[in-house]
Amino acid sequence: QVQLEESGGGLVQAGGSLRVSCVVSRRTVSYLVLGWLRQAPEKEREFVAAIDWSSGSRTYADSVKDRFTISKDNARYTVYLQMNDLKPEDTAVYYCAAKRRGASNFDYRGQGTQVTVSS
C-alpha cells in the first residue's frame, strides 16, 4: 500500500507561480513512478506530469510542458510540482499519484489539493 499526502495548493493570480508537494509514505519507492493528475470542475481527471523514482525520467502533458516542472527529493520521499506562468485553465484539484513502473494506470492517489488561478 502506498499513501500519498499533498500540500501547497492555494489561490494565485494568472502568471504567478505555485509549488505543490507530495510525501510518499512507503519507503520502498524505487519501483514506483510518481505523478500528478488534475481534475477541473465538470471535466475528467487528466495527467499532468510524472517522474520515475529510480531513473528520474520525466514526462509532461503538452498543456503544461515548459511551464511545470516535476522533481523529487529522495531523502524526504517527496515529489514536487513547480507550476510557473499559471493560467486560469490550470484551476483544478491536483492529485499526487503513484503506480508501479510499467503499469498503465496510477493505482494510488492522494486526497488532492485545490489550485485556483484567478484572471
Side-chain angles (χ1 to χ4, degrees):
Q1 187 73 12
V2 179
Q3 292 184 323
L4 308 164
E5 184 172 355
E6 307 96 335
S7 62
L11 173 65
V12 64
Q13 289 188 330
S17 298
L18 204 60
R19 189 178 77 165
V20 289
S21 304
C22 172
V23 177
V24 185
S25 66
R26 185 158 184 155
R27 293 301 178 254
T28 307
V29 295
S30 60
Y31 63 92
L32 293 178
V33 173
L34 279 296
W36 291 93
L37 312 175
R38 68 185 182 185
Q39 187 166 18
E42 300 181 355
K43 291 190 175 181
E44 297 208 349
R45 189 173 295 130
E46 64 176 358
F47 169 79
V48 177
I51 185 167
D52 185 299
W53 192 272
S54 180
S55 69
S57 175
R58 298 169 172 84
T59 55
Y60 296 94
D62 288 342
S63 59
V64 306
K65 203 172 293 184
D66 299 327
R67 298 188 299 123
F68 290 11
T69 301
I70 189 169
S71 62
K72 61 183 176 71
D73 183 329
N74 290 350
R76 297 177 184 271
Y77 295 93
T78 301
V79 177
Y80 304 99
L81 184 68
Q82 176 67 42
M83 302 180 286
N84 298 327
D85 190 22
L86 282 159
K87 304 175 181 181
E89 51 263 42
D90 294 317
T91 295
V93 176
Y94 283 70
Y95 297 92
C96 182
K99 65 177 181 177
R100 293 176 184 268
R101 186 179 302 111
S104 300
N105 300 317
F106 285 94
D107 298 319
Y108 306 98
R109 200 164 57 243
Q111 293 297 309
T113 184
Q114 178 70 46
V115 172
T116 303
V117 184
S118 63
S119 57

